[in-house]
Amino acid sequence: DAKTTQPTSMDCAEGRAANLPCNHSTISGNEYVYWYRQIHSQGPQYIIHGLKNNETNEMASLIITEDRKSSTLILPHATLRDTAVYYCIVRPPVNSGGSNYKLTFGKGTLLTVNP
Amino acid sequence: EAQVTQNPRYLITVTGKKLTVTCSQNMNHEYMSWYRQDPGLGLRQIYYSMNVEVTDKGDVPEGYKVSRKEKRNFPLILESPSPNQTSLYFCASRDRASGANVLTFGAGSRLTVL
């Protein structure tokens, strides 16, 4: 599995965009980049995922560099409720076979949104 | 609402007293999994199930049992709990057919074993 590197912590002002970087220089051609977050002691929550094109949903945008060695999760207008640990995970697609495709959550980035 | 429901949310018990943490999902997902989360160790997978009657060990299965008799339920059983099983437990499920590794997690069960 490709290893990911994220900053330990980041701060962001409420209402501003939060840009969370992730390095995954050993990513393989078929591996997706997934982002999850965990608000204190709650269950992790899926945010977004992508392969090579930029993706956007109601929660966030995901920008993946052309060489796919890094990506950035963007929360366009951060709120206090976005304070959480954000995990960047690289995994191959889940097929219909019998594999676990376990998600490995590293240490992530603690994003603190300040008033 | 699509969700994974765990019970109990909080439990304090004593060493050796058998307990079961229930997990139920209403999304018709084939895949279900249990994780535990401990400070400094992150989330570690305990057991997983690819479908009814199909279960397998994750990274830290010792001291735990699971069963998958119905698609929606995946209970975690601690036959003889010990203090080192004090932890925050999460159940999760995934739609295997979608191709995406999108897990839906429960709210968590905080277990304390005295």
Side-chain angles (χ1 to χ4, degrees):
Chain A
D1 302 341
K3 178 179 162 56
T4 63
T5 304
Q6 300 178 252
T8 303
S9 63
M10 295 182 65
D11 285 317
C12 177
E14 189 177 19
R16 304 297 293 270
N19 297 282
L20 292 95
C22 179
N23 285 320
H24 31 79
S25 58
T26 60
I27 193 170
S28 299
N30 70 337
E31 289 184 312
Y32 285 75
V33 179
Y34 290 86
W35 283 84
Y36 282 75
R37 74 179 182 183
Q38 186 174 23
I39 297 168
H40 181 63
S41 293
Q42 295 182 22
Q45 176 189 25
Y46 164 79
I47 301 172
I48 198 168
H49 74 283
L51 183 63
K52 58 176 83 173
N53 298 321
N54 298 338
E55 302 287 346
T56 295
N57 63 21
E58 64 280 2
M59 288 183 69
S61 294
L62 173 60
I63 309 297
I64 302 174
T65 58
E66 195 168 337
D67 63 8
R68 302 211 323 122
K69 293 185 177 182
S70 66
S71 61
T72 301
L73 178 75
I74 302 171
L75 308 178
H77 305 287
T79 72
L80 299 179
R81 285 176 295 182
D82 291 322
T83 293
V85 177
Y86 287 77
Y87 300 98
C88 170
I89 304 167
V90 173
R91 291 296 277 138
V94 175
N95 62 29
S96 57
S99 294
N100 187 10
Y101 292 101
K102 174 187 65 178
L103 286 178
T104 299
F105 291 80
K107 296 192 184 317
T109 297
L110 173 59
L111 174 69
T112 302
V113 181
N114 300 305
Chain B
E1 180 189 355
Q3 60 185 356
V4 176
T5 303
Q6 297 178 225
N7 281 296
R9 294 288 318 280
Y10 303 91
L11 180 62
I12 300 174
T13 189
V14 295
T15 299
K17 185 177 181 182
K18 179 179 178 180
L19 69 92
T20 299
V21 185
T22 64
C23 174
S24 181
Q25 50 94 4
N26 62 0
M27 296 166 283
N28 201 37
H29 286 170
E30 294 90 353
Y31 177 95
M32 297 185 74
S33 180
W34 277 102
Y35 285 81
R36 62 178 287 175
Q37 186 171 31
D38 303 288
L41 296 177
L43 281 144
R44 294 178 291 168
Q45 190 182 53
I46 304 170
Y47 268 95
Y48 67 95
S49 170
M50 298 301 294
N51 214 325
V52 175
E53 303 291 1
V54 181
T55 64
D56 208 345
K57 297 176 180 179
D59 297 320
V60 288
E62 297 77 20
Y64 304 95
K65 285 175 59 178
V66 293
S67 69
R68 189 90 182 272
K69 293 184 171 55
E70 307 165 278
K71 199 171 190 179
R72 64 183 292 125
N73 296 323
F74 189 43
L76 179 70
I77 303 156
L78 286 74
E79 294 270 4
S80 182
S82 62
N84 65 12
Q85 292 178 297
T86 292
S87 188
L88 180 57
Y89 291 87
F90 293 104
C91 180
S93 71
R94 182 181 75 212
D95 177 11
R96 214 173 86 187
S98 76
N101 210 328
V102 176
L103 285 171
T104 300
F105 282 83
S109 297
R110 186 171 291 280
L111 171 65
T112 301
V113 183
L114 302 176

